[in-house]
Amino acid sequence: MSLKELLFGKSVGDETVVIGEYADSSQAWLPIKNVIGGVVITRDNRFIKIVEVLPVNIYLKSPNDRQNIISAYAAYLKIAPDDLQIEVRTMKADTGDYVEQMRQYAEREENAYCRDMIEDNIREIGLGIASEAICHRFYLVFQYEARMKARQNSVKSIVERLNEEANTARSYLAASELEVLEPRYPDNFILTVLYEIINKQTSQRIRLPEGVFDMVTTVHGIYK
């Protein structure tokens, strides 16, 4: 049993057998049937693609650069999916990596005065001011439309077609100095995003380990 099966149930053909579903459980109300190739498949058989975009501060650009960015973005909107949504998540900034990096610097620092300064920085910035900071994450969300015309009317073809749309967005938005992230493991990326959305408070304290997807498979004794 995989993590996806635990969350969404097990797909058999076009049906989904929900494992361990009970009243008020996540499986009972979550409208997601599966995640394949970085594409979310809902229970009403819609195919949805979610991509994360790294923003650019246009106000730090020159007037000419601003106009070029706007023109390139407008060019993408002309060919973008009809139901394109732009989602913004606001959350507390994660200072864990910064604090860990500063502690590594402190361990390698030979000068006692410099070590004290690094420790002050950790207390005042890493655990103080920055702990109250917020960050924003930006996503493009779109679903498969009839006009996209997948090669075949199959799950694999539709997933491939949506990933082609994501690559198109990546190419066009690069001209706007916007980077569309391309995760190495797209299913893991989607599952992590869903976990953070469903568990807004818990996900701030408990992050999914990088190997959690393999760990669940191993625990249940199934190796692929």
Side-chain angles (χ1 to χ4, degrees), residues 156-203:
K156 181 179 179 181
S157 293
I158 293 174
V159 168
E160 289 177 350
R161 185 67 186 84
L162 282 173
N163 285 325
E164 289 174 3
E165 284 291 330
N167 288 333
T168 298
R170 189 171 289 110
S171 299
Y172 270 81
L173 295 180
S176 300
E177 300 187 29
L178 296 171
E179 180 183 358
V180 178
L181 298 184
E182 188 172 10
R184 183 178 181 185
Y185 303 107
D187 283 10
N188 293 9
F189 164 75
I190 294 296
L191 289 170
T192 300
V193 169
L194 294 175
Y195 166 73
E196 293 174 351
I197 291 174
I198 296 170
N199 303 279
K200 293 181 180 179
Q201 299 299 324
T202 303
S203 62

Side-chain angles (χ1 to χ4, degrees), residues 1-210:
M1 183 184 299
S2 67
L3 181 62
K4 289 195 296 185
E5 290 174 356
L6 285 173
L7 289 174
F8 313 132
K10 182 177 181 180
S11 297
V12 180
D14 293 331
E15 301 296 328
T16 297
V17 179
V18 180
I19 300 172
E21 180 178 310
Y22 55 90
D24 300 324
S25 67
S26 296
Q27 293 91 338
W29 60 262
L30 198 63
I32 298 171
K33 181 162 63 173
N34 207 344
V35 176
I36 299 176
V39 173
V40 177
I41 304 176
T42 65
R43 290 195 181 187
D44 59 354
N45 292 320
R46 289 180 296 129
F47 293 75
I48 299 173
K49 181 68 179 179
I50 303 173
V51 296
E52 184 170 4
V53 181
L54 298 183
V56 61
N57 191 338
I58 195 171
Y59 298 106
L60 298 180
K61 303 293 182 178
S62 68
N64 286 338
D65 287 342
R66 291 185 192 181
Q67 187 57 49
N68 291 336
I69 289 172
I70 293 172
S71 298
Y73 185 63
Y76 170 65
L77 293 181
K78 290 179 180 179
I79 56 91
D82 295 336
D83 64 345
L84 178 69
Q85 297 181 38
I86 301 175
E87 301 288 342
V88 182
R89 294 181 58 215
T90 302
M91 62 192 78
K92 291 183 64 176
D94 182 6
T95 61
D97 291 341
Y98 173 79
V99 170
E100 179 60 27
Q101 184 181 50
M102 296 304 294
R103 284 175 175 160
Q104 292 177 6
Y105 289 155
E107 291 175 359
R108 296 194 297 267
E109 180 56 59
E110 298 179 358
N111 188 296
Y113 291 106
C114 290
R115 287 198 301 271
D116 289 341
M117 292 175 63
I118 293 173
E119 290 298 332
D120 285 341
N121 182 276
I122 292 174
R123 286 191 297 270
E124 297 297 327
I125 305 298
L127 301 178
I129 297 173
S131 65
E132 300 301 321
I134 62 173
C135 68
H136 302 283
R137 295 180 69 178
F138 300 83
Y139 301 89
L140 298 182
V141 184
F142 51 89
Q143 69 178 11
Y144 177 74
E145 304 167 355
R147 73 174 183 85
M148 292 180 181
K149 297 181 180 179
R151 295 179 182 86
Q152 299 177 356
N153 187 25
S154 66
V155 171
K156 181 179 179 181
S157 293
I158 293 174
V159 168
E160 289 177 350
R161 185 67 186 84
L162 282 173
N163 285 325
E164 289 174 3
E165 284 291 330
N167 288 333
T168 298
R170 189 171 289 110
S171 299
Y172 270 81
L173 295 180
S176 300
E177 300 187 29
L178 296 171
E179 180 183 358
V180 178
L181 298 184
E182 188 172 10
R184 183 178 181 185
Y185 303 107
D187 283 10
N188 293 9
F189 164 75
I190 294 296
L191 289 170
T192 300
V193 169
L194 294 175
Y195 166 73
E196 293 174 351
I197 291 174
I198 296 170
N199 303 279
K200 293 181 180 179
Q201 299 299 324
T202 303
S203 62
Q204 292 292 319
R205 298 180 289 103
I206 304 174
R207 300 176 60 181
L208 288 177
E210 291 183 1

